[in-house]
Amino acid sequence: SHIQALDCRFASQGSEPFLLHHFIGSLNTPYDYQPLETLFSPDTSKRIATSGGRPTNSSMPYFNLETGGGGVIAALGWPGQWESWFLCNSDNLLRIAAGQEQTHFVLHPQEEIRLPLVVLQFYQGGWIRAQNLWRRWMLAHNLPRPHGQLPPPMIAACTSGIYYEMCNANEENQNYFIDRYAEEKIDLDFWHMDAGWYITSQCWQGTGTWEIDPQRFPNGLRAVTNNAHTRGMQSIVWFEPERVTAGTWLADTHPEWVLGGKGGGLLNLGHPQAWNWLVNHIDRMIVSQGIDLYRQDFNMEPVSHWRVNDTPDRRGITEIKHCLGYLAFWDELHRRHPDMIIDTCASGGRRNDLETLRRSLPLLRSDHIGHPLGSQCHTYGIAFWIPYYGTGLPFSNDYTFRSSLCPYNTIGWDMRDPNQDYDTYRRRFDQRRSIARLYLGDYYPLTGYSLDNNVWMAWQFDRPDLGEGLVQAFRRPDNDPADADRRFPLHGLRPGAVYRLTDFDSPDTAERTGRDLMELGLSLTIPNRPGAALIHYQQIK
C-alpha cells in the first residue's frame, strides 16, 4: 500500500528557504505550461497531482527544487495517475514523496509489475542552468532517434478543422491539396491525415472500428500516401485506439477487451488478447497503407475505468497493467519499425511524461492553437522541460506567425484559393526553415512570464555547438506607446568571440562581441503594437 517511487529528504544549503519551480500541464488554455513557484517555510506542505489519469492533464510531473546555491530536479515517468507531496518539517528538511496515486494490492504467484520511473538531477548554481542541463540530457539520451539521428525540425500540412471538417476528407480532396502545395513549391516534410478516415458516423468521436471508409477512400489511404511520397512528403495518419465508442467493431465484437464492455470505454491494454490484436492490426495498417509517422491521440480520462475494474485487494493494478501495455505497444511498434516516429497527442499535450517522451514526440503541445498570446506563453513554459514540440502555424501576419514557431509546425492553408499571397507565405516559410534547428539548443527566458496583453515577452535559444542562436521578442497589442525599446542581456556566448547579428526585418547586419551582448545587452526596437522581432546571431571569429 501507498508505494512511493520517490521518497527523499533534502536539506537547505544555507539560510534561504526552499523554492519549488513547477508547471501547469495542458488544459487547452492560454496558460498551458505556465511556470509556478512555491516557497516553503518550516511546517508547510503542498500536494501536486495530475487529474483524470493522463499524466500532464493538469500539472506536469517535472519539478526543480532550489535548495540554496543549487538544488535538484525531480521527474516522474508514469503515463497514468500520479501524485506528489512536498513537506517541509520544523527542522527545515524538505521531503518529496511521489508515485502512482493509488496502490493497495496483492500480487499473484509469478506476477510482476513495475512502478513509475524516477529521475533525480542534482546541480550547483542557478535553476536556469539546471534546466539547460536537463534539456541537454533529454536531447542526448531520451528523444527518439530515427535513423540514429535526432529528429530534425519538420513541417506538415493538413486540411482538418480548418477548411474541411475532418470527416469530409476523401481521396480526391486530400490529393488535390497535396498537389497544390507541390504546385506552389511549398516544401513539406509530411502530409497529415487527421481523424475520421475510418468507418464511422461520428467523425473523431466515433472510434473503435479501425477500417478505412471505402466510400471516401475506395483505393485505401495508399492512394493518398503514395501521392505524398511522389511529391517528396512522408505521411502521418491519426489513430486513437484506446477510446472505444458503443456500436463500433471493438465494442460489439470483443466487449471483454473493453473496460466498459458493449457500452464503450477504454480498450484494456493490460488484456493480452486485446494487446496482441492492437499491435498486429496497427502494424498491418502501417505497412499496407504506407504510413510513415504514427499519431496516437487519447481524448478521454481513463482513471475511472481503471478504478471501477479493481477489486478491493487489487487497487491500482488495472492502471499499472494498462500503462505497461501502452508502453509495450509502442516498444513493439518501434521494434517492427525502428525508424518510425510516434506522435503523442492526447488532446494536445496531456500525455507528456518522461516514459512517453522516450518513445514519441509531442507534435501538438496543446489544442489551444493559433492565438498569439497563448502560443508565446506555451513556448515560454514548455521549453524548460521538453526540447522538441509542435503546434499549428498561422500565416496571417508576422506577429501571429512568429508567436507559433516551433521545432515542428503544422500549416493548413486553403489551397483552393489561387489569389493568396503565396510570395509572403514562402518568405515566412523560408525564415522558419533557416532558424528552426536553433530551437534544439539551450533556452534562456529574457523576460518574466505574463498573460497580460500590455507587456513584452522575449527569450533566447543558443546552440553553443554551432556558435549561433536566436532571439525572439514580442511587443503585445496593449503595450504603452512609449515602450518601444528594450535591452536584453544575452546568455551562453563566448566573451571574446565576435557575432554577426541579422534582424529578419532589416537588410542591415551588425557585429558585436559576446561580452558586449552579455554585459551591455541586445537593443531592440519594435515600433508596432503588436509586433515581433526575430534576430539571428552567428559567431564569425
Side-chain angles (χ1 to χ4, degrees):
S1 289
H2 307 294
I3 304 168
Q4 301 300 304
L6 168 64
D7 197 345
C8 296
R9 288 170 174 81
F10 301 94
S12 176
Q13 299 178 32
S15 58
E16 300 176 23
F18 295 101
L19 179 62
L20 178 68
H21 301 273
H22 54 107
F23 290 69
I24 291 175
S26 179
L27 295 166
N28 190 15
T29 67
Y31 54 83
D32 291 357
Y33 305 105
Q34 179 177 352
L36 305 172
E37 293 181 350
T38 298
L39 197 66
F40 289 93
S41 56
D43 296 316
T44 58
S45 64
K46 185 176 184 65
R47 176 183 180 270
I48 302 174
T50 192
S51 63
R54 292 178 293 179
T56 49
N57 191 42
S58 52
S59 296
M60 299 275 279
Y62 305 97
F63 308 99
N64 187 323
L65 180 68
E66 290 192 78
T67 60
V72 60
I73 281 177
L76 279 181
W78 187 245
Q81 183 68 25
W82 59 268
E83 71 170 348
S84 60
W85 284 94
F86 299 82
L87 308 111
C88 189
N89 66 16
S90 57
D91 296 324
N92 206 32
L93 291 174
L94 191 139
R95 176 190 177 196
I96 304 178
Q100 185 181 349
E101 187 178 71
Q102 266 193 19
T103 52
H104 178 85
F105 52 77
V106 298
L107 290 179
H108 296 153
Q110 308 302 315
E111 185 178 26
E112 293 182 352
I113 62 162
R114 58 151 286 194
L115 294 169
L117 170 75
V118 174
V119 175
L120 296 178
Q121 174 190 295
F122 297 89
Y123 66 89
Q124 295 294 321
W127 81 281
I128 298 295
R129 174 179 179 270
Q131 293 300 148
N132 281 320
L133 292 175
W134 172 271
R135 283 177 58 92
R136 293 184 184 191
W137 179 72
M138 287 291 291
L139 288 164
H141 300 290
N142 293 280
L143 259 69
R145 287 179 173 261
H147 305 284
Q149 303 292 323
L150 281 173
M154 298 178 288
I155 195 161
C158 68
T159 59
S160 62
I162 304 173
Y163 303 111
Y164 283 101
E165 291 299 321
M166 292 178 184
C167 285
N168 286 334
N170 56 48
E171 178 182 319
E172 180 182 4
N173 60 40
Q174 295 301 287
N175 280 330
Y176 170 81
F177 272 72
I178 290 171
D179 293 343
R180 283 287 294 124
Y181 276 104
E183 185 179 304
E184 294 294 345
K185 296 181 171 53
I186 306 300
D187 185 19
L188 300 173
D189 297 298
F190 289 97
W191 180 254
H192 179 165
M193 279 285 300
D194 216 327
W197 49 265
Y198 38 83
I199 299 170
T200 181
S201 61
Q202 303 176 63
C203 195
W204 70 269
Q205 298 96 329
T207 52
T209 301
W210 295 105
E211 299 294 341
I212 300 165
D213 185 342
Q215 300 300 314
R216 290 180 292 121
F217 296 94
N219 300 297
L221 300 184
R222 263 287 182 185
V224 177
T225 62
N226 281 350
N227 188 33
H229 293 157
T230 63
R231 301 294 193 176
M233 310 171 197
Q234 293 185 291
S235 63
I236 301 172
V237 176
W238 181 99
F239 292 82
E240 192 187 354
E242 291 161 284
R243 184 169 58 88
V244 180
T245 52
T248 57
W249 184 88
L250 279 168
D252 290 343
T253 309
H254 287 288
E256 73 281 8
W257 294 354
V258 181
L259 300 178
K262 280 188 173 293
L266 179 70
L267 182 65
N268 184 5
L269 297 187
H271 191 294
Q273 285 74 39
W275 185 91
N276 188 66
W277 173 86
L278 181 62
V279 168
N280 289 314
H281 186 78
I282 298 299
D283 177 58
R284 282 193 298 270
M285 291 285 295
I286 290 169
V287 173
S288 66
Q289 302 306 313
I291 297 169
D292 300 296
L293 190 154
Y294 171 75
R295 185 179 200 224
Q296 183 163 321
D297 211 337
F298 193 31
N299 293 300
M300 64 181 296
E301 297 191 344
V303 69
S304 61
H305 294 280
W306 292 330
R307 291 181 177 176
V308 76
N309 283 278
D310 284 338
T311 57
D313 64 341
R314 299 271 287 174
R315 292 204 299 271
I317 287 292
T318 306
E319 175 183 343
I320 291 169
K321 290 185 178 292
H322 184 98
C323 289
L324 298 187
Y326 152 72
L327 296 175
F329 166 46
W330 282 8
D331 287 342
E332 180 61 16
L333 287 185
H334 277 306
R335 189 189 69 81
R336 300 184 188 190
H337 308 278
D339 296 318
M340 183 183 71
I341 294 173
I342 295 175
D343 170 19
T344 173
C345 181
S347 301
R350 304 193 193 200
R351 208 183 210 176
N352 286 343
D353 66 291
L354 184 56
E355 285 283 29
T356 294
L357 295 185
R358 284 180 158 179
R359 295 162 170 84
S360 64
L361 300 174
L363 301 184
L364 185 63
R365 64 188 181 185
S366 172
D367 274 350
H368 186 81
I369 305 168
H371 305 282
L373 185 146
S375 294
Q376 293 165 26
C377 289
H378 294 172
T379 295
Y380 189 104
I382 196 174
F384 282 105
W385 295 106
I386 301 174
Y388 200 109
Y389 47 86
T391 190
L393 186 61
F395 274 66
S396 52
N397 55 59
D398 281 344
Y399 181 73
T400 56
F401 168 75
R402 293 175 179 178
S403 296
S404 297
L405 289 173
C406 284
Y408 181 95
N409 285 118
T410 303
I411 59 177
W413 304 340
D414 190 350
M415 303 303 292
R416 299 168 297 180
D417 181 0
N419 299 315
Q420 295 186 87
D421 187 358
Y422 290 105
D423 288 339
T424 297
Y425 288 175
R426 281 186 285 265
R427 174 182 61 81
R428 293 182 184 140
F429 193 91
D430 291 342
Q431 285 183 357
R432 181 202 173 273
R433 285 280 192 196
S434 71
I435 53 91
R437 67 191 180 281
L438 304 177
Y439 287 108
L440 299 185
D442 293 337
Y443 167 64
Y444 299 98
L446 301 179
T447 63
Y449 174 94
S450 178
L451 284 159
D452 294 334
N453 248 330
N454 61 354
V455 301
W456 283 57
M457 180 175 273
W459 54 70
Q460 172 193 0
F461 285 94
D462 180 66
R463 288 287 300 266
D465 57 322
L466 301 178
E468 61 179 321
L470 170 71
V471 175
Q472 288 184 265
F474 303 93
R475 187 184 181 198
R476 291 183 176 162
D478 297 332
N479 183 243
D480 188 322
D483 189 22
D485 303 295
R486 289 291 180 95
R487 184 183 296 272
F488 299 107
L490 303 188
H491 303 270
L493 307 183
R494 296 179 176 90
V498 176
Y499 293 85
R500 177 180 291 119
L501 300 168
T502 302
D503 184 336
F504 277 62
D505 296 319
S506 170
D508 300 326
T509 62
E511 294 181 6
R512 299 274 301 280
T513 67
R515 180 175 286 106
D516 284 349
L517 289 169
M518 290 191 290
E519 294 178 359
L520 301 178
L522 173 66
S523 296
L524 292 179
T525 297
I526 301 180
N528 298 323
R529 297 176 300 154
L534 188 60
I535 309 295
H536 173 255
Y537 61 85
Q538 185 163 25
Q539 182 181 340
I540 57 174
K541 57 184 175 180

